Amino acid sequence: MPSGNTPEGRPGLDALQSRLGVAIDPELLTLALTHRSFAYENGGLPHNERLEFLGDSILGQAVTVRLYRDNPELDEGALAKRRASVVSGVALAEIARSLGLGEFLRLGRGEELTGGRRKVSILADTVEAIIGATFLSAGPDEATALVLRLVAPLMTDPARFGAALDPKTALQELADERHAPAPVYDVTGTGPDHAKTFHATVTVDGVATGHGEGTSKKHAEMAAALDAWTQATSAGA
């Protein structure tokens, strides 16, 4: 397994495995980090979408079982809403950022130039692929344990369920509670029209300023709103 830094100057797989807290076969982990853009630009190599498909199922099952067992008072609708928030792209991308996952991705040149390491969809899909790789490499128990570690911040803080599912509404409600003006979003786009990356900043007077990126204005604003909400509630501003 590689150690130290890669020739490209990014940390090796051992650094990521340490952050994940589980031993994953290096070939499977490399595959989980390989976006289709990299695969296509390098002769049609295998990429991570099959692992993503597997990981999505494991993620959903692990979260569903935990929510069911820990919340006997909730009905089906409430459980479904909580599950949707935990497995949402915005929540998974936040998990990916907490791991520094972007620096480990194998991306094609086009994605590299358009901010692929920060895109919500790519980060979220890679988290699912890593879960799939863990299942194949270490077994179902380790894969479930990894899922529950990754989603723990959401599962242990009920307020975050709503914020992860609908961060713009959550931030608006927080501003209302604190008698602050409505959040103001500023969004800019970079890159060609067919592959833009959007950068959003949201400011809530007297509460917080958040930043986010995404492949659409909506995703960028959602990421910025969640960033601001997290800052404000963590600091108790």
Side-chain angles (χ1 to χ4, degrees):
M1 181 186 305
S3 60
N5 288 343
T6 65
E8 294 81 8
R10 295 191 294 273
L13 296 186
D14 56 340
L16 178 56
Q17 298 218 42
S18 178
R19 297 177 196 180
L20 292 168
V22 62
I24 305 172
D25 177 82
E27 290 188 8
L28 280 171
L29 183 54
T30 298
L31 179 60
L33 297 166
T34 303
H35 187 257
R36 66 174 178 267
S37 62
F38 181 93
Y40 293 164
E41 290 183 14
N42 288 273
L45 295 173
H47 52 75
N48 65 6
E49 290 182 2
R50 280 172 54 85
L51 285 176
E52 174 198 337
F53 170 80
L54 176 61
D56 176 68
S57 178
I58 297 160
L59 170 69
Q61 180 182 34
V63 169
T64 299
V65 171
R66 175 54 62 89
L67 287 172
Y68 180 87
R69 288 177 172 170
D70 288 357
N71 301 277
E73 77 286 0
L74 297 181
D75 62 18
E76 178 186 3
L79 289 170
K81 184 175 181 180
R82 289 198 175 192
R83 179 178 60 192
S85 69
V86 175
V87 304
S88 70
V90 171
L92 293 179
E94 184 184 10
I95 289 169
R97 293 188 189 99
S98 73
L99 294 168
L101 194 57
E103 60 191 306
F104 298 94
L105 298 176
R106 302 173 83 202
L107 299 175
R109 179 172 174 78
E111 285 293 351
E112 192 77 70
L113 293 175
T114 57
R117 295 186 186 281
R118 300 181 300 277
K119 289 183 179 178
V120 169
S121 59
I122 291 177
L123 290 172
D125 291 347
T126 305
V127 170
E128 292 180 336
I130 287 174
I131 294 167
T134 302
F135 178 89
L136 294 178
S137 181
D141 291 344
E142 287 291 343
T144 296
L146 173 63
V147 169
L148 296 179
R149 285 198 302 274
L150 294 179
V151 303
L154 275 171
M155 303 287 272
T156 58
D157 183 359
R160 291 182 62 80
F161 283 110
L165 186 62
D166 189 353
K168 293 184 69 174
T169 297
L171 186 62
Q172 177 65 64
E173 291 174 348
L174 184 63
D176 292 343
E177 290 173 7
R178 301 182 181 184
H179 306 291
V184 176
Y185 293 87
D186 179 53
V187 183
T188 59
T190 59
D193 288 341
H194 67 280
K196 278 189 178 296
T197 297
F198 293 90
H199 311 263
T201 300
V202 59
T203 302
V204 185
D205 184 38
V207 178
T209 298
H211 304 276
E213 296 184 356
T215 54
S216 67
K217 291 182 179 179
K218 177 182 177 180
H219 283 153
E221 289 180 349
M222 289 173 66
L226 185 58
D227 181 42
W229 185 93
T230 300
Q231 289 182 49
T233 54
S234 296

